Amino acid sequence: MATLLAILFALRRRHPQQGVELWIIGLVFIFIEAIAHVFYTKSGPQHIPVHIVALDAYLAAGMFFLWAGAKDRCPRRPTLTYLLFTAVPLMVLQTIYAMDIYRPGPYRAVALTGIMLAIVLPFLALRSLRIGKAWWLIPLPLAIWIPSWLFASAGMYRDAAYIALFVVYLSVAIVFYGSLPRQSLGRIAIVTGFSIWAFVFLLHSWVTARPQYNSIAAAIWDWQKFLVAIGMLLVMLERQVASNEWFASHDQLTGLPNRRLFEERLEMAIRNARQSGKRIAVVMIDLNGFKAINDSLGHEVGDILLQQIGDALREAIRPTDTLARLGGDEFIIVSVDLPVEVPSARIVNSNTDRIVDAFKKPFRILDHELMVKASVGVAIYPDDAGDEVLLRRLADQRMYEQKLRMSALIEVEA
């Protein structure tokens, strides 16, 4: 476990990823439990403190894993509030059992507190009387506290404590199942590990009463910890591979497709247009005066400006079109599924007007308000050319011609 933790921490430092810190904290608590388990005895002065550390460490780990799995799917602050207030009576429950208190009164008192919190807490955390899709936050803790009350009333104190760990770890498995990518091998390992872990807690009393299963139970008790840790390592590596693949085909500054991905999309668009009989348009865009802004105000302002321009152009195109950054201050669009009955001049004007409209408003960056114009060149398939190289060359040529006309007009006005 220490080795896997060290690998996970080193990988996280080399390739920072969101949410991994919570995974590491959860595994640290599992490591603490593993150390406590080494010193655990069924009697003697160290029995109670070690037992408290072990059970509370399991619970703390489960709550951190729940937060990690829900972090990207649920609002941060209400989730944290809910988990913190839910964890308090759960920790009291584990501590009561670890202290060898075998009277139903304390268990019932904690269960009653947990039931009251289960009813009230979702409304307090969300600060609303309407919790909508969060309705499941009420029956989930009730699935802990009602059985815990019943077990304690029947004198089954171990079950009263371990039912809470079962529900928490099964919830972790469900949350990770919903939050991790479907095709991930790491997801399979994590969900399987937490599912086994949950049922280990559920069956703990049954196995304890049957010594013949002790060796099997001991092996499984440790096995799922490594399965979860290895699954988390796999998820991190899969994320890094996916990130590398994304950066290989996207511009790192704007997040737009880069030249390589655009060429693939353009080739596919032409192939589809040949089959469907429709047209496509290649729109070349070059910013006017960007170099002067970049030189006078600095690269930081220039980079932010390019990002804002990328956002403005995203809003100007249709969802089916592709916008890419070729580099520097050059952008390019492929507009697909254009009708054949519309005159090509109207298509050119429509695409040009959309781009011009995107630059009508000033861009606000730090303390600056910047007006930027763009030169636009449009080439249409199959009217102007029949392959991607000629289309891009013609769109670039028309963009350059418009740029020269705009420069000449500025000189005349000056």
Side-chain angles (χ1 to χ4, degrees):
M1 180 59 69
T3 303
L4 289 172
L5 259 175
I7 294 172
L8 191 65
F9 183 74
L11 191 60
R12 184 260 168 198
R13 289 192 64 184
R14 181 171 296 183
H15 306 291
Q17 297 180 19
Q18 190 174 14
V20 175
E21 296 88 349
L22 296 177
W23 295 0
I24 293 175
I25 294 172
L27 289 174
V28 166
F29 277 107
I30 296 301
F31 183 60
I32 291 172
E33 184 281 330
I35 295 174
H37 190 72
V38 173
F39 297 98
Y40 176 76
T41 57
K42 292 185 178 181
S43 60
Q46 66 190 42
H47 163 69
I48 289 179
V50 169
H51 203 190
I52 291 173
V53 170
L55 289 180
D56 285 344
Y58 266 134
L59 177 63
M63 302 309 284
F64 273 104
F65 289 137
L66 266 179
W67 189 19
K71 194 173 183 219
D72 297 330
R73 299 170 64 88
C74 304
R76 180 187 177 98
R77 183 167 302 211
T79 302
L80 182 57
T81 301
Y82 178 82
L83 291 176
L84 282 174
F85 280 94
T86 301
V88 173
L90 289 173
M91 191 162 290
V92 174
L93 175 66
Q94 302 306 314
T95 303
I96 289 173
Y97 173 69
M99 293 174 66
D100 295 339
I101 297 175
Y102 300 136
R103 300 188 308 276
Y107 292 87
R108 288 174 180 171
V110 177
L112 182 60
T113 303
I115 290 171
M116 293 174 61
L117 281 175
I119 297 171
V120 175
L121 191 54
F123 300 98
L124 293 178
L126 296 173
R127 298 181 180 179
S128 173
L129 293 176
R130 297 181 179 180
I131 57 177
K133 294 181 179 179
W135 62 268
W136 56 271
L137 293 175
I138 295 176
L140 179 63
L142 292 180
I144 295 175
W145 295 115
I146 293 176
S148 183
W149 177 294
L150 296 174
F151 281 132
S153 299
M156 303 167 66
Y157 301 107
R158 178 183 283 112
D159 296 278
Y162 275 79
I163 189 67
L165 295 175
F166 163 71
V167 174
V168 168
Y169 277 73
L170 187 61
S171 300
V172 172
I174 294 170
V175 168
F176 273 113
Y177 178 82
S179 62
L180 294 176
R182 292 188 176 275
Q183 304 300 322
S184 168
L185 290 175
R187 177 190 187 227
I188 296 173
I190 290 174
V191 172
T192 302
F194 278 118
S195 299
I196 294 172
W197 220 334
F199 284 97
V200 163
F201 290 131
L202 182 66
L203 299 173
H204 182 61
S205 294
W206 187 87
V207 172
T208 302
R210 291 162 178 81
Q212 64 268 30
Y213 297 115
N214 283 348
S215 59
I216 298 174
I220 296 177
W221 190 266
D222 292 327
W223 179 62
Q224 77 273 5
K225 301 174 185 177
F226 302 110
L227 189 60
V228 167
I230 290 171
M232 290 177 174
L233 286 171
L234 284 173
V235 168
M236 288 188 67
L237 292 172
E238 288 166 345
R239 284 179 178 177
Q240 188 58 39
V241 170
S243 176
N244 291 341
E245 291 175 352
W246 189 88
F247 280 117
S249 59
H250 289 78
D251 172 54
Q252 296 188 27
L253 179 63
T254 62
L256 296 172
N258 60 14
R259 184 186 298 269
R260 171 186 165 187
L261 181 56
F262 179 81
E263 290 174 352
E264 293 176 1
R265 297 270 181 89
L266 178 57
E267 184 180 350
M268 183 184 301
I270 292 175
R271 186 165 58 249
N272 292 338
R274 284 176 183 152
Q275 295 174 354
S276 65
K278 293 188 176 182
R279 293 152 137 180
I280 67 169
V282 174
V283 184
M284 188 73 74
I285 304 164
D286 186 85
L287 307 181
N288 300 325
F290 173 77
K291 186 177 184 302
I293 294 174
N294 203 41
D295 291 343
S296 60
L297 299 180
H299 292 295
E300 180 184 2
V301 171
D303 288 346
I304 298 173
L305 177 59
L306 288 173
Q307 290 171 343
Q308 292 189 8
I309 288 172
D311 293 337
L313 291 174
R314 277 193 189 98
E315 296 179 2
I317 66 172
R318 302 173 303 166
T320 54
D321 299 341
T322 295
L323 167 67
R325 182 185 175 212
L326 298 181
D329 59 355
E330 285 190 335
F331 296 84
I332 192 168
I333 298 169
V334 57
S335 187
V336 299
D337 294 331
L338 301 176
V340 295
E341 64 273 10
V342 177
S344 59
R346 188 184 300 177
I347 293 176
V348 170
N349 292 335
S350 175
N351 280 277
T352 303
D353 290 344
R354 282 191 296 163
I355 304 307
V356 171
D357 288 343
F359 290 88
K360 281 187 175 179
K361 295 181 180 179
F363 296 94
R364 291 179 175 83
I365 303 170
L366 302 179
D367 297 328
H368 307 285
E369 190 172 274
L370 305 173
M371 289 297 301
V372 181
K373 300 296 182 182
S375 299
V376 183
V378 183
I380 300 174
Y381 170 91
D383 304 55
D384 294 320
D387 66 77
E388 58 268 24
V389 176
L390 292 177
L391 275 172
R392 286 181 54 187
R393 187 177 298 168
L394 185 57
D396 188 65
Q397 179 183 334
R398 290 174 177 174
M399 179 272 296
Y400 184 68
E401 289 171 356
Q402 188 191 68
K403 197 177 190 70
L404 289 178
R405 288 196 298 271
M406 292 181 68
S407 298
L409 183 61
I410 292 172
E411 289 179 1
V412 169
E413 292 176 351

